[in-house]
Amino acid sequence: MPDFDLVILGAGPAGTAAAMQARTLGLSVALVDKALFPRQKLGGGLVTGRCAAHLSDIFGMQITPDLFETRRNFEFHLKDQYLGDLQDVPPLHLTMRWDFDHHLLKQALAAGAADYTGHRIEALDFKNNKVNLAEGEPLSYKLLIAADGVQSPTAKALFGKPFSQDTIGFALEVEGPAQAPTEATPIRIDFAAADWGYGWSFPKKSSTTIGLGGLHAQNPDMKSHLATYLDKLGTGQTAKVKGHFLPFGAPRPIPGKDNVLLAGDAAGLVDPITGEGIGHAIHSGALAARAAKTALDQGDAQRALPLYTTATKPIRRAIAQARLLRPLIFSARLQPFFARTFTASQTLKRDYMHLLSGDIEYPALLRRTALRLPRAAIRYLSAAASGN
């Protein structure tokens, strides 16, 4: 029976980052995924400055034109209202997920991770530290890292369900026709394209990735929202629609159990305002591998979970802070106030972009918002009272 320090379930960004970091630290690794790569993968493919820094740190990757298209211009909308634009903001990068994920996988395998992609899991034997594959010998592990997505079979096996229906988000997405974009072509963000959510249009060379996402419980007819959004954009109506759940701001307070660690979407690590998911996935995967290395060096595999829980606390704290701000943007009652304030304030727009790029974090944004809100609220209430 093959025996590994780590068995990693899921070969997306979180799993490959865990594998890459573990191999750098000298651990033996098996990387398991039911898919063969390259695979079809739903996702906007937006790589932020924060994510780019993690790619450089963990994979030694730079932003190169073979995988990424850089954009510096944005425009913002809320329903039928144009909220303004920003030119020459901190760069964000667009990629196609099937190419991007495949590239990360190749790097992890080149670093020495054992390749078990294309293998379905028959059963998880937590008691005996084994992963039973549908074909082939079981894999034995000291620690298991589950980076198996928002509908994580591992989280379901550990906790009875992979997520809460009350807090989960849902997204629909299409690959529409390409628009022959240049670096000056703006990325479009539409607040409230779905209830408690937003829409996006990411112009890429080969297609335009268009989607929307929001709280699942608030959007029983997400397909209707998408149809309306595509009609507004005037493109993508005949494209194939794909959907997936989003762990929208509800991270697990303890991301695992015993000698099993959850990373990325499986741990609920997605920002509920910006939708940041890839960066948190890569970061958490690497943190899981580092915690595993420390615990195994100490001869106690179960030490990894408390170490990992502490290491990921800043990510969970940032998501909790984002949830405090979320009603200001997405609540229907506050939408007129948000629209008026966001339209009038280039500073607020730039704060949003610097948050997305990773140049500022939520504590600083919360402080700025607290200072700005009283004056903005007074202006909004005065204008509402006068009918303007």
Side-chain angles (χ1 to χ4, degrees), residues 41-348:
K41 175 63 179 177
L42 183 70
L46 183 67
V47 172
T48 67
R50 180 189 293 107
C51 180
H54 294 319
L55 287 171
S56 177
D57 178 46
I58 297 158
F59 290 91
M61 281 179 61
Q62 303 304 313
I63 301 299
T64 54
D66 57 324
L67 275 178
F68 302 98
E69 301 175 46
T70 297
R71 298 286 180 268
R72 295 178 178 272
N73 300 330
F74 282 74
E75 61 179 43
F76 301 94
H77 302 256
L78 191 152
K79 295 185 176 177
D80 294 325
Q81 185 176 350
Y82 175 63
L83 303 185
D85 58 36
L86 280 176
Q87 309 294 322
D88 197 28
V89 298
L92 297 173
H93 315 285
L94 302 177
T95 189
M96 302 304 291
R97 283 295 303 274
W98 44 85
D99 294 329
F100 177 72
D101 289 10
H102 191 206
H103 183 82
L104 298 186
L105 172 62
K106 288 189 290 187
Q107 296 223 156
L109 298 180
D115 185 3
Y116 287 88
T117 56
H119 287 262
R120 290 186 175 273
I121 296 170
E122 186 174 82
L124 297 172
D125 183 352
F126 299 126
K127 182 178 179 180
N128 295 303
N129 294 341
K130 295 177 185 177
V131 174
N132 296 319
L133 304 176
E135 296 180 0
E137 292 184 89
L139 306 179
S140 176
Y141 61 82
K142 297 181 178 69
L143 278 155
L144 184 71
I145 296 178
D148 47 358
V150 60
Q151 299 195 75
S152 168
T154 310
K156 183 177 180 180
L158 289 174
F159 304 112
K161 57 183 181 179
F163 52 74
S164 167
Q165 291 286 348
D166 296 332
T167 58
I168 198 67
F170 191 74
L172 294 175
E173 195 168 76
V174 304
E175 293 294 339
Q179 303 173 357
T182 68
E183 190 168 324
T185 304
I187 288 174
R188 173 170 173 151
I189 303 294
D190 286 74
F191 299 110
D195 291 337
W196 282 81
Y198 57 92
W200 58 88
S201 177
F202 295 163
K204 304 173 185 177
K205 292 176 183 177
S206 59
S207 67
T208 304
T209 303
I210 302 167
L212 55 79
L215 289 175
H216 186 50
Q218 300 287 336
N219 292 278
D221 192 9
M222 189 70 85
K223 287 185 177 180
S224 176
H225 288 312
L226 179 63
T228 299
Y229 188 48
L230 294 176
D231 286 343
K232 179 181 294 186
L233 297 182
T235 188
Q237 292 93 332
T238 61
K240 182 179 180 180
V241 178
K242 297 181 179 181
H244 68 140
F245 288 104
L246 294 170
F248 233 22
R252 291 191 176 275
I254 300 177
K257 185 177 180 180
D258 299 328
N259 63 335
V260 181
L261 312 180
L262 303 176
D265 285 5
L269 301 178
V270 171
D271 187 300
I273 290 179
T274 68
E276 170 84 77
I278 300 175
H280 288 330
I282 292 170
H283 191 197
S284 63
L287 292 175
R290 293 170 196 168
K293 170 64 173 175
T294 301
L296 293 178
D297 283 350
Q298 294 175 354
D300 183 2
Q302 298 210 16
R303 277 284 298 148
L305 181 56
L307 290 170
Y308 177 57
T309 301
T310 299
T312 54
K313 186 175 181 180
I315 302 176
R316 295 195 307 279
R317 182 189 301 121
I319 291 172
Q321 292 164 340
R323 291 187 67 176
L324 290 175
L325 283 172
R326 185 165 62 177
L328 294 176
I329 300 174
F330 298 125
S331 167
R333 179 177 294 180
L334 293 175
Q335 277 177 11
F337 167 63
F338 170 73
R340 192 179 189 99
T341 304
F342 197 84
T343 302
S345 175
Q346 288 295 102
T347 301
L348 187 56

